[in-house]
Amino acid sequence: MNDQLELRDLIYFQRIATLGHVGKAAEQLHKTQPALTGSIRRLERTLNTRLFEKDGRNIQLTAAGKLLLQRSQACKMLPKRSKS
């Protein structure tokens, strides 16, 4: 099992976290919802923690998710948070 974080997964995580919705993130990233869900599952497995909780059709960040978003945005190699 690969226990390293993938840059692609962090980029997808940021977009999902910013939008609070996997479907909208999939549209913007030109990816399928299952691909993004798989990406989040990989991150959660690697970090051994949940990053999101479902809230109806939307999702909310857990405390660990909020921390990961904050730290990932501090990385200069990752894209800045979208305002859209």
Side-chain angles (χ1 to χ4, degrees):
M1 178 165 78
N2 184 1
D3 61 351
Q4 294 182 348
L5 293 178
E6 299 266 343
L7 179 59
R8 172 193 65 208
D9 292 342
L10 286 173
I11 291 168
Y12 294 169
F13 164 78
Q14 277 188 340
R15 186 59 57 93
I16 295 166
T18 300
L19 296 172
H21 196 278
V22 177
K24 291 177 185 174
E27 264 183 49
Q28 286 189 6
L29 293 165
H30 305 288
K31 300 292 177 188
T32 65
Q33 288 185 31
L36 295 186
T37 301
S39 178
I40 295 304
R41 285 189 184 136
R42 277 191 303 275
L43 276 175
E44 290 179 334
R45 202 170 36 246
T46 300
L47 298 172
N48 197 32
T49 190
R50 299 230 9 189
L51 299 172
F52 294 99
E53 291 179 357
K54 288 187 178 186
D55 180 24
R57 296 190 73 147
N58 295 318
I59 51 177
Q60 299 292 322
L61 287 168
T62 63
K66 289 176 185 176
L67 182 60
L68 180 61
L69 180 60
Q70 179 183 28
R71 296 219 173 142
S72 69
Q73 289 173 335
C75 292
K76 299 298 182 196
M77 64 184 156
L78 294 176
K80 294 288 184 201
R81 190 165 107 181
S82 171
K83 298 199 191 255
S84 55

